[in-house]
Amino acid sequence: MTAIHGVIEAQSQLVLTREEGLLASVTTLGGLRRWRDALVQANTRPDGSYGCALGALCAQLPDDDERSRTALAAAFERWHQLLIETLERLRDLGVLTVDADPHKLGTGLLAALQGGYMLAQNAHDPQPMADALDMALDRIDTFASR
């Protein structure tokens, strides 16, 4: 295993373990907002270290490193699956209406998160991340059972 593959494995494990822990207990839309708050808070560092460890690795890889890209794609797919499972749980609990599409909403949520990470990193300000996640969560809220 090369050094970069070891870094990818370690960072993937770190991020996915964190996400599993945060998302496992989400049973309300308020819980989903608390997940958002935890990510935004974690992205606010006194030293200006903003961004996603996995996204940063993606940006740094050469196009011909297929092994690394495959490993990162698997990590992102697992993250996506965690979001889908959370949204399915909310739908199954009746928090979201039956017409909510967890796959589509999970894709939008992950895209907002990753885009938000990138914008926050560039601006050295977590607000763009918070705003992107708020927009995605506002969309999910349109499927809330009333």
Side-chain angles (χ1 to χ4, degrees):
M1 177 183 300
T2 65
I4 188 64
H5 298 124
V7 170
I8 290 169
E9 185 176 317
Q11 289 299 317
S12 295
Q13 185 65 33
L14 183 71
V15 168
L16 293 172
T17 298
R18 179 199 68 214
E19 288 300 292
E20 287 170 355
L22 289 171
L23 292 167
S25 62
V26 173
T27 58
T28 65
L29 292 175
L32 204 52
R33 295 272 177 190
R34 286 187 292 281
W35 165 80
R36 170 256 189 230
D37 294 345
L39 289 178
V40 171
Q41 181 62 37
N43 201 41
T44 306
R45 298 224 164 60
D47 65 356
S49 300
Y50 302 91
C52 173
L54 299 182
L57 287 169
C58 284
Q60 295 174 18
L61 287 178
D63 287 338
D64 63 351
D65 187 348
E66 195 57 36
R67 181 175 171 198
S68 295
R69 291 205 177 280
T70 300
L72 284 166
F76 276 107
E77 181 53 34
R78 178 64 190 134
W79 199 346
H80 185 221
Q81 192 59 42
L82 290 169
L83 293 169
I84 292 168
E85 290 167 5
T86 300
L87 294 165
E88 286 174 339
R89 182 171 53 253
L90 293 177
R91 188 183 59 193
D92 293 347
L93 290 169
V95 173
L96 298 176
T97 60
V98 295
D99 59 330
D101 182 343
H103 189 275
K104 190 176 198 176
L105 293 170
T107 299
L109 190 52
L110 185 57
L113 175 58
Q114 287 304 308
Y117 268 131
M118 183 175 289
L119 293 172
Q121 183 176 17
N122 186 55
H124 285 242
D125 180 359
Q127 194 58 52
M129 178 186 183
D131 293 344
L133 285 170
D134 286 344
M135 290 188 71
L137 293 175
D138 287 349
R139 175 64 176 147
I140 291 169
D141 282 346
T142 67
F143 292 96
S145 297
R146 306 274 185 232

